[in-house]
């Protein structure tokens, strides 16, 4: 009889398991082609979208710290920016969402550290239980139990306090949370440096694009003068149709380049608006600061690398990551193998309104004790955290070395680029001075009737090209200088621009 009952029970259990698994599979395979196509065409269900929108508005419009973020980060400031680099940097520091998110990560790290500290403080709980007990003795060889049959409620109130005395895993957990807070602080510095550098670089790109666009429009004017001169010669029978066609082709090519630079300028303004959270219709003119020229000769590549490896927040964060991984390994090692000593006290009050033997009871128990837990093998039933934590230390060390190698490589590359750009600026400056001298001579010849405006326009075109190339190299040098300062961990918001 018992064997048959066991077989029936096993059969019922297997059937129930199969039914539940079948239902789960059915519930997880409902993304049919028809449903997916309908989702692509119609989008999210209207009711679900309305419900999500309502909940979003309720969350973001609360009169608390979350709601206060709306005024600073919700939209692009309609106030027109002055276009000065200093003003753009100030706006970015105040309204950039990445900086705001990094600040909230510090708050999160503070909260997690506080929770880690709470893990070593007393745990106090009060439990209220209300049970309805229906007891019936079905079979017994005890004469007293034969009388036991009752239906009664039981009310239990329990107050319990647990205090860890020695728990190394929690101690290392507090140290790990403190290190994580330091990482969050360094990450905040890194994000601020990133945003400031990106604003600086976008400003230089916009300045470069606008200057080159103006130079290209000027060159188009010079080509127009040459075309007019050729047309005048053509009226007198001395023109060259091939030269006119060539000049017109060149002017069209320059017009396409000017349109591309205008688009590049508009894109850079869009980047500035995104970074600063304010409308940037245009930027102020930027002059090349003479004190920056030759900066790569005042600091060697090795000195720049040493400074960068010490002060760059990326390297600092990676170094703290290795420390955090080691603290996590120690925490895991303690959790896996270290004994845990804790004290506890419990007060329990139980009221039974009846019993199997007739009559209720009211009891109160006080328990005070010390508990020592010694892990022997797989103490928590989840294996050993030490194994993956040890791998995490090695991974953190590799990431640290990779960050150092990346920073060193970029610093040396940028330093070398600045040297080559210095040479390019020197040669471009010489070319501009020679072109200016040739233009002066050509104008003198025009004044004495030995030349024509066509030749002067050609000289002006060459001078415009030389000056535009000089300005281009100067801006590229500024971008490389800013990149080097950024890699060395400097704060570009205090660079004096």
């Amino acid at each position: 009889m018992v064997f048959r009952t066991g077989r029936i029970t096993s059969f019922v259990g297997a059937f129930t398991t199969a039914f539940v698994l079948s239902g789960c599979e059915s519930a997880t395979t409902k993304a049919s082609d028809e449903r997916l196509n309908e989702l692509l065409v119609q989008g999210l269900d209207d009711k679900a979208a309305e419900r999500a929108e309502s909940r979003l508005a309720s969350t973001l419009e609360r009169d608390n710290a979350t709601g206060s973020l709306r005024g600073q980060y919700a939209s692009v400031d309609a106030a027109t920016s002055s276009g000065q680099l200093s003003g753009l940097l100030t706006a970015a520091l105040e309204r950039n969402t990445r900086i705001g998110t990094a600040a909230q990560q510090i708050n999160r790290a503070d909260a997690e550290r506080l929770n880690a500290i709470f893990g070593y403080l007393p745990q106090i709980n009060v439990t209220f239980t209300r049970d309805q007990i229906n007891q019936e003795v079905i079979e017994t060889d005890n004469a007293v139990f034969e009388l036991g049959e009752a239906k009664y409620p039981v009310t239990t109130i329990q107050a319990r306090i647990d205090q860890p005395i020695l728990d190394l895993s929690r101690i290392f957990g507090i140290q790990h949370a403190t290190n994580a807070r330091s990482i969050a602080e360094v990450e905040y510095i890194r994000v601020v440096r990133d945003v400031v550098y990106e604003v600086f670089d976008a400003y230089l790109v916009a300045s470069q694009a606008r200057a080159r666009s103006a130079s290209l429009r000027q060159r188009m004017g010079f080509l127009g003068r040459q075309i007019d001169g050729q047309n005048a010669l053509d009226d007198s029978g001395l023109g060259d149709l091939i030269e006119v066609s060539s000049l017109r082709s060149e002017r069209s090519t320059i017009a396409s380049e000017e349109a591309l630079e205008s688009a590049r300028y508009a894109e850079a303004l869009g980047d500035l608006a995104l970074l600063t959270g304010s409308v940037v219709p245009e930027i102020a003119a930027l002059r090349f600061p003479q004190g920056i020229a030759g900066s790569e000769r005042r600091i060697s590549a090795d000195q720049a690398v040493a400074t960068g490896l010490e002060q760059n927040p990326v390297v600092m964060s990676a170094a703290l990551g290795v420390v955090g991984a080691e603290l996590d390994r120690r925490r895991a090692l303690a959790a896996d193998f270290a004994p845990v000593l804790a004290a506890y006290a419990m007060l329990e009050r139980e009221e039974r309104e009846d019993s199997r033997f007739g009559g209720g009871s009211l009891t109160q128990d006080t328990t005070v004790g010390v508990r020592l837990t010694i892990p022997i093998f797989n103490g928590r039933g989840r294996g050993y955290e030490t194994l993956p934590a040890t791998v995490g230390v090695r991974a953190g060390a590799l990431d640290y070395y990779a960050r150092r190698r990346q920073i060193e490589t970029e610093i040396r590359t940028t330093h070398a680029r600045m040297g080559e750009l210095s040479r390019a600026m020197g040669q471009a400056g010489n070319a501009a001075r020679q072109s200016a001298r040739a233009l002066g001579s050509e104008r003198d010849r025009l004044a004495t009737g030995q030349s024509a405006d066509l030749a002067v326009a050609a000289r002006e075109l060459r001078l415009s090209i030389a000056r535009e190339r000089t300005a281009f190299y100067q801006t590229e040098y500024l971008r490389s200088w800013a990149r080097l300062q950024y890699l060395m961990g400097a704060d570009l918001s205090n660079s004096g621009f």
Side-chain angles (χ1 to χ4, degrees), residues 334-372:
D336 289 338
F337 302 106
V340 176
L341 180 63
Y344 62 91
M346 182 177 62
L347 174 65
E348 185 177 68
R349 181 184 179 91
E350 182 185 71
E351 181 178 359
R352 292 176 174 263
E353 297 188 7
D354 201 352
S355 69
R356 291 178 296 179
F357 311 104
S361 63
L362 177 62
T363 60
Q364 181 172 301
D365 298 333
T366 301
T367 305
V368 178
V370 177
R371 180 177 59 253
L372 177 63

Side-chain angles (χ1 to χ4, degrees), residues 16-30:
T16 303
T17 303
F19 179 77
V20 171
L21 291 177
S22 176
C24 292
E25 182 179 1
S26 176
T28 56
T29 57
K30 292 184 178 180

Side-chain angles (χ1 to χ4, degrees), residues 39 42 68 74 135 158 168 202 228 279 285 289 297 320 423 437 483:
L39 184 62
Q42 298 181 2
S68 65
Q135 286 189 334
Q158 182 186 85
L168 293 178
D228 292 340
V279 178
R297 294 191 292 270
L320 288 173
R423 292 177 51 195
R437 188 176 295 112
R483 180 71 179 174

Side-chain angles (χ1 to χ4, degrees), residues 134-149:
N134 298 329
Q135 286 189 334
E136 179 181 359
V137 178
I138 297 176
E139 182 179 355
T140 180
D141 56 1
N142 190 314
V144 177
F145 278 6
E146 289 182 358
L147 303 176
E149 180 177 343

Side-chain angles (χ1 to χ4, degrees), residues 285-302:
L286 175 67
R287 293 185 178 180
F288 182 80
Q290 297 300 322
I292 290 181
S295 298
E296 76 283 354
R297 294 191 292 270
R298 294 191 287 271
I299 182 173
S300 66
D302 291 337

